[in-house]
Amino acid sequence: DAGITQSPRHKVTETGTPVTLRCHQTENHRYMYWYRQDPGHGLRLIHYSYGVKDTDKGEVSDGYSVSRSKTEDFLLTLESATSSQTSVYFCAISELAANTGELFFGEGSRLTVL
Amino acid sequence: AQKITQTQPGMFVQEKEAVTLDCTYDTSDPSYGLFWYKQPSSGEMIFLIYQGSYDQQNATEGRYSLNFQKARKSANLVISASQLGDSAMYFCAMRERTGTASKLTFGTGTRLQVTL
């Protein structure tokens, strides 16, 4: 199994508070992604990274920022959480040069914004 | 326009029967990849099968096969001899290049229930 750790796994917070989710990998994969999963929407890409300090927006990036200062860590920050950001967040990694370039997923982080 | 469309929110299949989960896609990139993932009730995402846009033959992985019809832009997943453990959510996804990287776009999923 790919070494991907997400923290925290569960978090309950209040509207307006900042939240940071961390994704840590031990695979030295170049590409890292943050998705959110909501019923009826499948998984939607928030942000992704193609190297240290290289990031780009996905389809639902509003209200989120990311940082990648080291190959192994990809942080997702909600500057001021809203109830619409209640979701399950998945981190994923990929190394396109290897095989099919499929994504390997973390176990998910469930965030509830009250 | 949806890039990945899964039109079956839910499906039922009897144990030991085969089932086809539909997926259509839309892209102008000549080099793309198609994936299927399984998400059981425990929540993890499990990679099942991959088809490259230039692959001539349909991909197979054990009981899973991907029925790739390029002209129709469809990439249906076929599960043969269904088992109770196949009950899960199934997602189709497409990889496209973005210039500096590539990203996967997912469909909304199909929930499969295998019955006795």
Side-chain angles (χ1 to χ4, degrees):
Chain A
D1 291 340
I4 311 169
T5 305
Q6 291 184 229
S7 59
R9 293 289 314 282
H10 301 273
K11 186 171 181 66
V12 180
T13 191
E14 293 189 347
T15 298
T17 60
V19 176
T20 296
L21 304 180
R22 179 182 183 235
C23 178
H24 178 77
Q25 60 146 330
T26 58
E27 305 296 321
N28 200 36
H29 281 7
R30 179 180 175 187
Y31 302 96
M32 299 186 75
Y33 306 80
W34 277 108
Y35 285 87
R36 61 177 289 175
Q37 183 177 17
D38 305 287
H41 291 278
L43 281 82
R44 292 179 292 174
L45 182 63
I46 306 172
H47 282 281
Y48 63 99
S49 169
Y50 46 95
V52 173
K53 296 185 178 176
D54 291 324
T55 64
D56 206 348
K57 296 178 179 180
E59 60 180 307
V60 289
S61 60
D62 287 349
Y64 302 95
S65 62
V66 290
S67 66
R68 192 171 178 196
S69 58
K70 298 184 291 185
T71 298
E72 57 266 35
D73 289 327
F74 193 33
L75 303 181
L76 177 69
T77 297
L78 292 65
E79 299 291 347
S80 178
T82 68
S83 58
S84 64
Q85 293 175 311
T86 292
S87 187
V88 178
Y89 292 85
F90 283 96
C91 174
I93 65 174
S94 172
E95 187 56 66
L96 284 183
N99 298 322
T100 66
E102 73 264 27
L103 296 187
F104 298 96
F105 284 85
E107 295 176 307
S109 295
R110 183 175 295 275
L111 176 66
T112 302
V113 183
L114 302 176
Chain B
Q2 291 288 332
K3 290 197 170 186
I4 290 284
T5 302
Q6 294 181 254
T7 58
Q8 306 154 314
M11 291 276 288
F12 285 89
V13 64
Q14 276 196 320
E15 196 180 19
K16 301 179 184 177
E17 297 293 312
V19 63
T20 298
L21 306 184
D22 294 342
C23 174
T24 58
Y25 60 92
D26 184 29
T27 182
S28 57
D29 186 350
S31 178
Y32 55 90
L34 297 159
F35 301 78
W36 279 91
Y37 282 84
K38 172 184 178 182
Q39 186 180 43
S41 58
S42 52
E44 71 268 31
M45 294 289 290
I46 302 168
F47 165 70
L48 294 178
I49 196 166
Y50 166 81
Q51 180 85 40
S53 59
Y54 295 119
D55 293 342
Q56 296 295 314
Q57 292 188 324
N58 288 342
T60 60
E61 288 288 346
R63 294 186 297 110
Y64 304 109
S65 61
L66 198 152
N67 184 0
F68 181 45
Q69 299 192 37
K70 196 170 183 176
R72 294 187 176 185
K73 294 188 174 181
S74 74
N76 297 339
L77 176 71
V78 180
I79 306 175
S80 63
S82 297
Q83 302 172 356
L84 294 177
D86 294 333
S87 294
M89 196 76 167
Y90 289 81
F91 292 99
C92 179
M94 177 175 64
R95 185 190 68 228
E96 294 178 290
R97 295 173 300 186
T98 64
T100 52
S102 69
K103 56 183 180 180
L104 264 67
T105 300
F106 285 80
T108 53
T110 296
R111 184 170 298 281
L112 177 67
Q113 185 68 46
V114 180
T115 62
L116 292 171

